[in-house]
């Protein structure tokens, strides 16, 4: 299923100029295209649409220790609530944490990398409000966190 994520601003990288009233098309686990809502609606007619307030960009890489929580699953979910879809291997250092990350499609990376939204790339997106709060996290094309 193809979904178009629409936002007030889209940033292909957090240090890049924003695309005002932008959109990202996601098909399965991959980014199909980035552009304006009109361009993506024309290219993908009938696609499901999700409208987000705020700024949509690449999900973050959580570079520090995972937040404390009662279970490995909850520790991984705490990272997703921060807008991250990847963690560093040195901080996912138990079989239980790695299994929880795998079950939630959270990437476990050997080293930090700059995240970017590129066609064909993994669909890891995050939406942030003006105050910096994470409103939603999409991990490998799947909505895994939405702030209520």
């Amino acid at each position: 299923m193809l979904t178009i994520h629409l936002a007030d601003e889209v940033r292909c990288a957090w240090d890049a100029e924003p695309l005002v009233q932008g959109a990202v098309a996601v098909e399965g686990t991959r980014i199909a295209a980035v552009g304006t809502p009109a361009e993506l609606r024309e290219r993908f007619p009938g696609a499901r649409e999700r409208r987000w307030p705020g700024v949509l960009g690449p999900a973050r890489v959580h570079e520090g220790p995972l937040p404390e929580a009662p279970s490995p699953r909850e520790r991984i979910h705490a990272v997703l609530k921060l807008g991250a879809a990847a963690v560093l291997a040195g901080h996912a250092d138990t079989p239980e944490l790695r299994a929880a990350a795998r079950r939630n499609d959270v990437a476990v990376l050997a080293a930090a990398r700059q995240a970017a939204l590129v066609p064909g790339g993994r669909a890891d997106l995050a939406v942030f409000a003006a105050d910096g709060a994470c409103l939603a996290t999409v991990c490998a094309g799947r909505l895994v966190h939405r702030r209520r």
Side-chain angles (χ1 to χ4, degrees):
M1 168 177 247
L2 197 123
T3 302
I4 298 174
H5 296 269
L6 308 144
D8 300 333
E9 288 185 10
V10 170
R11 291 181 182 262
C12 290
W14 287 110
D15 59 354
E17 287 297 313
L19 174 61
V20 178
Q21 298 300 315
V24 178
V26 172
E27 187 167 27
T29 63
R30 299 285 169 196
I31 294 172
V34 177
T36 67
E39 291 168 342
L40 297 189
R41 284 180 182 125
E42 182 178 326
R43 187 168 166 196
F44 305 106
R48 176 182 181 183
E49 291 186 13
R50 286 192 183 269
R51 177 81 174 103
W52 302 107
V55 179
L56 183 148
R60 295 179 171 158
V61 175
H62 187 79
E63 296 184 28
L66 278 61
E68 289 299 320
S71 71
R73 182 191 67 77
E74 291 168 296
R75 292 181 74 188
I76 293 297
H77 187 70
V79 168
L80 295 169
K81 289 170 55 176
L82 297 172
V87 298
L88 296 182
H91 297 293
D93 54 357
T94 68
E96 295 82 13
L97 280 173
R98 287 190 296 278
R102 192 172 36 257
R103 280 192 305 274
N104 287 282
D105 293 318
V106 172
V108 178
L109 306 175
R113 59 160 170 74
Q114 173 145 359
L117 301 180
V118 294
R122 188 174 133 126
D124 291 340
L125 321 172
V127 181
F128 294 93
D131 67 359
C134 179
L135 302 175
T137 307
V138 174
C139 188
R142 188 170 55 96
L143 181 63
V144 293
H145 164 68
R146 177 175 33 203
R147 187 169 141 192
R148 303 253 179 231

